[in-house]
Amino acid sequence: MALALRLGKTLHELVGQLSAEELFLWQAYNRESPISDVRGDMQTAVLAAAIYQAQGVKVSAFDLIPKWSFGAQEQGALDDGEVQLQRCLASFDEDETDRATPQQP
């Protein structure tokens, strides 16, 4: 499916036009350089970190990678994404307020 999307074809078109030899070549290429967006979260974190760092924020890409958790029952109920986003934005607002407030001697 990912190959069809990358080549801009439907699966039906791909099956009709792709020889077995070419499919094996694509499979070998996929082992060396995956065709799909398997690590899109890492790529996005690197990009976001570069943007933050250009603005002077001290952050690394590892700080921005989503923390996927599969033990939600053991840890209690996880917050939904909207609540987490609001907390994150609120923390940025607090940082900006701290920097904008002049220090009293």
Side-chain angles (χ1 to χ4, degrees):
M1 179 77 113
L3 178 60
L5 290 170
R6 293 291 185 207
L7 297 177
K9 299 178 183 272
T10 64
L11 286 174
H12 181 66
E13 290 173 333
L14 195 61
V15 169
Q17 297 173 357
L18 196 64
S19 68
E21 181 181 1
E22 189 175 3
L23 178 60
F24 288 131
L25 289 173
W26 276 112
Q27 288 174 335
Y29 176 77
N30 188 49
R31 281 190 293 277
E32 294 296 319
S33 177
I35 295 169
S36 65
D37 295 326
V38 174
R39 290 308 314 233
D41 57 344
M42 184 62 180
Q43 294 167 341
T44 303
V46 169
L47 179 62
I51 293 169
Y52 281 131
Q53 290 167 358
Q55 297 176 9
V57 178
K58 294 185 187 281
V59 68
S60 73
F62 292 111
D63 297 332
L64 302 174
I65 296 175
K67 311 289 188 281
W68 305 110
S69 174
F70 299 102
Q73 295 167 344
E74 298 170 10
Q75 299 173 7
L78 293 176
D79 294 334
D80 63 11
E82 184 177 356
V83 173
Q84 291 180 7
L85 177 62
Q86 289 173 351
R87 287 180 185 161
C88 179
L89 293 176
S91 72
F92 289 131
D93 287 341
E94 290 170 5
D95 291 343
E96 288 297 320
T97 303
D98 292 342
R99 280 189 247 154
T101 305
Q103 297 294 326
Q104 297 292 331

